[in-house]
């Protein structure tokens, strides 16, 4: 995991976690806006850059905790994540709710699928990456077939993701439990789903939570179309 930081370290901290097959660059449109008021921490997840491997959600959280400890950051104003990053942000929050003021979980596939479903996704994504790495297809278009129009955001990262990382990424994407939290902790979390986002189907597992249902939007839809508005609504 690699970290980038922006803003004054004396300000309250905000942790942002990107989607599958993207990087810290995913947050470029809002980084400097948030940095006016917060100390912004943006990791690039393991497996999403050369010579690195994604092992598990738990391992990513371990690295985040180590970074915060090494930088004497004992609390966060907010943790926000999209898709896979939302899964990681959710689990991180649930294990450290007393030190985090709020969490924003956008388009996270908080499913716990049986093995045969995870194997289906692994086969599908493996074929996608093999085609991309062969150099015989339009990378963005190929990714769009599998990731709901995210190809332009993912095209620079997907080619470096290894099969080893992919196996573990699929397990982290589709093997997430919903925690039993106290109501005061649940009230800190906002889940965000567009009504055109297939990940919204996990909402049945989140009945006790605050869910913002965005009409007309798909996967990471509001952020993709208007990142500044997303930041205003959910962070600022």
């Amino acid at each position: 995991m690699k970290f980038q930081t922006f803003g004054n370290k004396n300000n309250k901290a905000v942790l942002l976690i990107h989607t599958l097959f993207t990087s810290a660059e995913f947050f470029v449109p809002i980084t400097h806006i948030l940095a006016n008021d917060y100390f912004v921490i943006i990791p690039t997840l393991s497996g999403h850059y050369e010579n690195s491997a994604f092992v598990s959600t738990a391992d990513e959280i371990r690295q985040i905790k180590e970074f915060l400890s090494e930088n004497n950051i004992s609390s966060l104003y907010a943790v926000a994540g999209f898709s896979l990053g939302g899964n990681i942000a959710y689990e991180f929050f649930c294990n450290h709710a007393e030190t985090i003021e709020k969490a924003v979980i956008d388009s996270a596939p908080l499913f716990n699928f049986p093995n045969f479903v995870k194997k289906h996704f692994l086969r599908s994504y493996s074929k996608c990456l093999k085609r991309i790495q062969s150099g015989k297809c339009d990378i963005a278009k190929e990714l769009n077939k599998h990731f709901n129009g995210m190809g332009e955001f993912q095209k620079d990262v997907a080619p470096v993701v290894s099969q080893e990382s992919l196996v573990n990424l699929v397990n982290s994407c589709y093997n997430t439990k919903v925690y039993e939290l106290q109501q005061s902790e649940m009230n800190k979390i906002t889940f965000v789903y567009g009504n055109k986002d297939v990940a919204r189907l996990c909402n049945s597992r989140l009945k006790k939570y605050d869910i913002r249902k965005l009409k007309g939007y798909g996967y990471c839809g509001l952020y993709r179309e208007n990142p500044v508005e997303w930041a205003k609504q959910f962070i600022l």
Side-chain angles (χ1 to χ4, degrees):
M1 180 178 278
K2 298 192 297 187
F3 290 88
Q4 296 182 39
T5 61
F6 305 86
N8 188 334
K9 196 172 181 179
N10 293 320
N11 289 337
K12 290 184 176 181
V14 171
L15 173 67
L16 306 176
I17 308 178
H18 63 80
T19 73
L20 182 70
F21 296 170
T22 64
S23 69
E25 297 300 306
F26 184 69
F27 294 108
V28 164
I30 63 171
T31 298
H32 294 291
I33 296 170
L34 295 180
N36 289 328
D37 298 302
Y38 302 104
F39 182 58
V40 184
I41 304 164
I42 311 178
T44 292
L45 298 173
S46 304
H48 289 71
Y49 53 93
E50 295 281 2
N51 302 315
S52 70
F54 184 95
V55 176
S56 65
T57 293
D59 190 59
E60 297 303 286
I61 290 174
R62 175 190 61 79
Q63 293 179 70
I64 291 170
K65 289 170 62 178
E66 288 179 357
F67 175 86
L68 296 177
S69 177
E70 289 167 2
N71 287 273
N72 299 312
I73 299 169
S74 59
S75 64
L76 297 173
Y77 170 67
V79 56
F82 291 80
S83 189
L84 166 67
N87 286 14
I88 295 170
Y90 172 70
E91 185 156 338
F92 179 75
F93 172 84
C94 290
N95 286 286
H96 303 86
E98 71 282 359
T99 65
I100 303 171
E101 292 186 42
K102 68 178 180 178
V104 182
I105 313 299
D106 196 317
S107 304
L110 292 172
F111 298 106
N112 185 12
F113 283 129
N115 285 332
F116 78 90
V117 176
K118 287 185 282 188
K119 287 180 180 178
H120 163 74
F121 282 113
L122 179 59
R123 285 194 298 269
S124 176
Y125 296 166
S126 293
K127 289 179 181 178
C128 173
L129 288 190
K130 286 178 181 177
R131 281 182 53 78
I132 287 170
Q133 291 164 353
S134 74
K136 297 179 180 179
C137 67
D138 182 297
I139 295 175
K141 288 183 179 179
E142 183 66 23
L143 288 164
N144 282 339
K145 296 176 185 177
H146 302 269
F147 298 103
N148 304 295
M150 283 286 290
E152 285 297 321
F153 295 89
Q154 297 174 318
K155 65 182 182 180
D156 295 326
V157 174
V160 307
V161 176
S162 69
Q163 182 65 24
E164 174 191 2
S165 287
L166 183 63
V167 171
N168 296 327
L169 285 163
V170 168
N171 190 57
S172 290
C173 277
Y174 304 113
N175 188 34
T176 302
K177 75 173 185 177
V178 173
Y179 284 76
E180 291 292 332
L181 301 176
Q182 295 182 11
Q183 189 62 50
S184 60
E185 296 170 334
M186 293 171 64
N187 291 343
K188 294 181 178 182
I189 306 178
T190 300
F191 288 97
V192 182
Y193 292 96
N195 70 331
K196 296 181 180 180
D197 178 9
V198 68
R200 77 189 188 284
L201 297 177
C202 74
N203 286 180
S204 61
R205 304 183 75 203
L206 305 171
K207 292 178 181 178
K208 297 179 181 179
Y209 287 90
D210 175 27
I211 303 176
R212 288 285 304 277
K213 299 176 181 179
L214 303 181
K215 188 175 181 180
Y217 289 102
Y219 177 73
C220 305
L222 176 59
Y223 183 83
R224 286 162 54 188
E225 293 186 22
N226 194 336
V228 173
E229 180 60 28
W230 182 93
K232 289 178 179 178
Q233 286 197 34
F234 299 112
I235 303 295
L236 294 172

